[in-house]
Amino acid sequence: MSDEEHHFDSKADAGASKTFPQQAGTIRKNGYIVIKGRACKVVEVSTSKTGKHGHAKCHFVAIDIFNGKKLEDIVPSSHNCDVPHVTRTDYQLIDISEDGFVSLLTDTGNTKDDLRLPTDDNLLTQIKDGFAEGKDLVVTVMSAMGEEQICALKDIGPKN
């Protein structure tokens, strides 16, 4: 029984959570917060004073980092809020397919083909024009809570 080899196909990450708790009173402007299940960047924080028997409350105004929608939340400042793990990764652009997907080169030399072109028109035209001109482009991909999106572009010169 013990000399059998066991192979486990793990398709999950290391069990790392998509968010971490942080006390509402410590979250500042330009920080990140989860509101209504969406990863958001805080643009405004106001704190109200305690009432006769109540808690101080934090009023957050934040913008969804993926779709740009404005969301608001009011939380007692002593309570914990979910804060998303937001990561930015640079990839080299290899190709743009007709159906709106991009092919990217990772640091390990593999390709990443599951990302759509950004919905932001300005960034979209910069990527398409730069690619059409044959420039070497590096895109920055922001990922949080299982979602990924191209958020920035760098031109590293013409292709050799």
Side-chain angles (χ1 to χ4, degrees):
M1 185 86 175
S2 62
D3 21 315
E4 290 179 33
E5 284 190 41
H6 294 286
H7 294 287
F8 296 104
D9 291 331
S10 174
K11 291 189 173 47
D13 52 16
S17 174
K18 295 176 181 172
T19 62
F20 62 93
Q22 186 174 342
Q23 193 172 338
T26 63
I27 296 173
R28 299 280 169 250
K29 187 177 174 183
N30 293 331
Y32 294 101
I33 188 173
V34 176
I35 299 177
K36 295 184 180 109
R38 304 288 301 164
C40 303
K41 185 170 186 156
V42 178
V43 290
E44 190 183 319
V45 183
S46 54
T47 309
S48 64
K49 290 209 162 60
T50 56
K52 194 171 182 184
H53 304 288
H55 296 279
K57 299 230 183 346
C58 292
H59 176 234
F60 295 105
V61 178
I63 292 177
D64 189 312
I65 59 176
F66 295 116
N67 64 24
K69 287 191 178 143
K70 187 175 176 182
L71 296 165
E72 295 187 42
D73 200 6
I74 297 175
V75 186
S77 62
S78 57
H79 288 208
N80 281 349
C81 291
D82 282 334
V83 176
H85 291 284
V86 179
T87 56
R88 290 167 171 259
T89 317
D90 286 350
Y91 298 106
Q92 188 163 349
L93 182 67
I94 302 171
D95 192 23
I96 300 174
S97 63
E98 280 88 49
D99 56 359
F101 282 87
V102 291
S103 185
L104 304 171
L105 184 67
T106 65
D107 292 340
T108 57
N110 299 329
T111 58
K112 180 176 178 56
D113 302 309
D114 58 350
L115 227 66
R116 283 190 166 281
L117 281 164
T119 49
D120 177 32
D121 290 332
N122 186 19
L123 193 58
L124 181 67
T125 51
Q126 282 182 334
I127 291 172
K128 283 189 168 175
D129 292 350
F131 186 73
E133 291 167 21
K135 291 180 181 169
D136 252 347
L137 300 176
V138 172
V139 294
T140 304
V141 176
M142 185 161 31
S143 60
M145 297 177 64
E147 276 189 75
E148 291 183 312
Q149 186 177 345
I150 295 172
C151 64
L153 173 72
K154 275 186 266 189
D155 181 1
I156 56 170
K159 283 187 179 162
N160 296 336

